[in-house]
Amino acid sequence: MPDLRPLAPILDGHLSADDLAAIGDVLHEWAGVGLHQATVDDLAEARAHQKIYLDALEKQHARRHAAAGVVSLAAYRKARR
């Protein structure tokens, strides 16, 4: 069931102006709407699109490391610490 509650009133008073601006940027980039027009569903859509992008980016990063001879990204990260 869609959640069409306006997002801005839910967040107002709980986040700083900078945090609200950052969320607005994410919504604009990933869901195509501004913060004051966005619904809770728009935020969920933006997060889903962002997750797909980040997952693909991580897989690409892992492939590059594998091509360079790194067996696993976790082992690489652990070795760098």
Side-chain angles (χ1 to χ4, degrees):
M1 167 134 327
D3 190 347
L4 302 177
R5 292 177 293 157
L7 186 61
I10 295 171
L11 300 177
D12 193 36
H14 297 284
L15 300 171
S16 70
D18 289 341
D19 290 340
L20 289 172
I23 290 172
D25 290 344
V26 168
L27 285 164
H28 183 73
E29 177 76 23
W30 296 98
V33 295
L35 177 61
H36 295 286
Q37 295 82 26
T39 65
V40 173
D41 271 358
D42 292 327
L43 179 60
E45 177 184 345
R47 291 184 72 202
H49 283 107
Q50 197 173 36
K51 181 176 178 356
I52 290 167
Y53 172 79
L54 292 174
D55 287 348
L57 189 62
E58 185 175 317
K59 287 177 185 175
Q60 179 186 23
H61 189 69
R63 281 193 299 270
R64 285 184 180 164
H65 277 80
V70 177
V71 177
S72 78
L73 200 51
Y76 173 76
R77 287 180 180 151
K78 187 176 179 180
R80 289 192 58 189
R81 289 186 191 163

